[in-house]
Amino acid sequence: MKFSTSVARSALGLQALFAGLVVAQASGKFDVLTYNVAGLPAVINGNDEPGDKKTNARLIGAAMAKERFDIVHMQEDFNYHAYIYSTDTHPVRTPTSGGVPFGDGLNTLSNYNYTKFTRTTWKRCSLNSGDCLTPKGFSFMVIPTIGFELHLYNLHSDAGDSDNDVASRSSDVDQVLAAINAQSQGVPVIVAGDTNDRYTNAGVSITKFAQAGFKDPWVDLIKNGVYPTKGATADPCPNPAPNNECEIVDKVLYRSGDSVTLTATSFNYVPQDFLQSNGSVLSDHNPVLVNFDWVKK
Ligand SMILES: *[C@@H]1O[C@H](CO)[C@@H](O)[C@H](O)[C@H]1NC(C)=O
Ligand SMILES: *[C@@H]1O[C@H](CO)[C@@H](O)[C@H](O)[C@H]1NC(C)=O
């Protein structure tokens, strides 16, 4: 009796030691995908996407299940949400906030649990491009179990080219940076979503992320660290994108924390993962995949 108890105790001790080793893991890898899934009702916006939106949404979910991306940020996940979730198999998924006009279209699929999930509506919206039809904004979550505490922001900024749109987008960036400043000081942060902005735009405001210490893996890994020139003619970016060179509005931005260094190790547009069987696209946006390494300082 005594003997077996002490064996049990020492087995527990080993387990605790092992758990301690897991918690003390010093480095690791994960990937992040961002994808605007074009889930507006077909009657409002066909998103230049051939085929039936319900069928396409099921195919999007099936591709998410097949590729098993660690963290996926979706935008415009509105009226075909249930079809995506019917075929996706990620163990952790945010509940929908509703279709148009109730939801923000933002959802996250994850291989890790999250806490502290919030949705925030933009303070400002510009009436054209349908931005005020739905409560667009950003979502926030903490992933505590990836090996360190990671803060994630998913956003869908104001669309369009009018002065009012440019001002609204700038206000959106200010709002999300204020939230990061308030709740994510010193913590590793990834912002991924549809910024509706490009570095070549005359009224570009996503440059404020770089000023706040964020890196853009597309700039660092594809453009050799050189940001495209504000006001320059944009390189047209077809869908599916033939390579990683052209710029799109869908971005993954990140910064390290006080005790963890994040490094993007690869950047790719992955439209080939999200095609219909005849080669047509499933959304009017390209999906963006970034691989990360992390290491404790
Ligand atoms: C692929 O199939 C869809 C749905 O039937 C159709 O709308 C689209 O035109 C097809 N694309 C091509 C390249 O044939
Ligand atoms: C998330 O947490 C629940 C409850 O603790 C647990 O059962 C589940 O396995 C966790 N899932 C993942 C993917 O870690």
Side-chain angles (χ1 to χ4, degrees), residues 52-268:
D52 168 56
K53 283 202 166 197
K54 292 176 185 170
T55 306
N56 291 352
R58 282 194 203 94
L59 289 169
I60 288 172
M64 297 296 186
K66 175 167 180 267
E67 302 301 330
R68 302 169 63 111
F69 306 109
D70 288 323
I71 294 161
V72 177
H73 278 180
M74 300 189 290
Q75 305 81 38
E76 285 192 29
D77 179 23
F78 290 117
N79 290 47
Y80 305 94
H81 169 81
Y83 298 92
I84 295 179
Y85 276 23
S86 74
T87 47
D88 168 65
T89 55
H90 277 82
V92 176
R93 316 190 289 191
T94 53
T96 180
S97 56
V100 174
F102 305 105
D104 60 15
L106 302 172
N107 278 308
T108 300
L109 314 175
S110 172
N111 288 331
Y112 309 99
N113 276 324
Y114 64 83
T115 59
K116 299 181 184 168
F117 181 64
T118 57
R119 299 177 184 274
T120 305
T121 303
W122 300 131
K123 288 177 187 156
R124 180 174 175 157
C125 65
S126 163
L127 267 174
N128 66 324
S129 307
D131 285 310
C132 308
L133 271 180
T134 59
K136 282 171 86 170
F138 68 91
S139 67
F140 165 71
M141 62 171 61
V142 175
I143 306 252
T145 54
I146 199 165
F148 64 98
E149 185 176 300
L150 175 64
H151 286 196
L152 289 173
Y153 293 80
N154 182 8
L155 60 77
H156 191 185
S157 298
D158 198 282
D161 297 318
S162 72
D163 288 351
N164 200 8
D165 293 315
V166 167
S168 291
R169 266 198 299 280
S170 184
S171 164
D172 297 347
V173 173
D174 291 343
Q175 200 180 333
V176 76
L177 282 174
I180 291 167
N181 210 27
Q183 61 196 3
S184 305
Q185 289 263 354
V187 179
V189 176
I190 296 175
V191 179
D194 179 352
T195 67
N196 269 311
D197 204 2
R198 291 185 183 82
Y199 296 112
T200 49
N201 284 349
V204 62
S205 51
I206 45 169
T207 41
K208 291 182 203 172
F209 282 105
Q211 287 154 19
F214 280 82
K215 294 183 174 187
D216 182 335
W218 177 75
V219 172
D220 291 340
L221 300 171
I222 307 299
K223 295 288 158 187
N224 297 316
V226 181
Y227 283 84
T229 309
K230 177 178 170 173
T233 308
D235 226 355
C237 206
N239 179 24
N243 56 52
N244 296 323
E245 292 296 321
C246 52
E247 183 181 7
I248 63 174
V249 297
D250 307 273
K251 308 283 185 194
V252 176
L253 308 165
Y254 73 101
R255 76 180 188 197
S256 295
D258 291 344
S259 54
V260 173
T261 303
L262 274 186
T263 309
T265 55
S266 73
F267 176 100
N268 284 291

Side-chain angles (χ1 to χ4, degrees), residues 50-51 276 278 280:
Q276 302 177 33
N278 65 8
S280 280

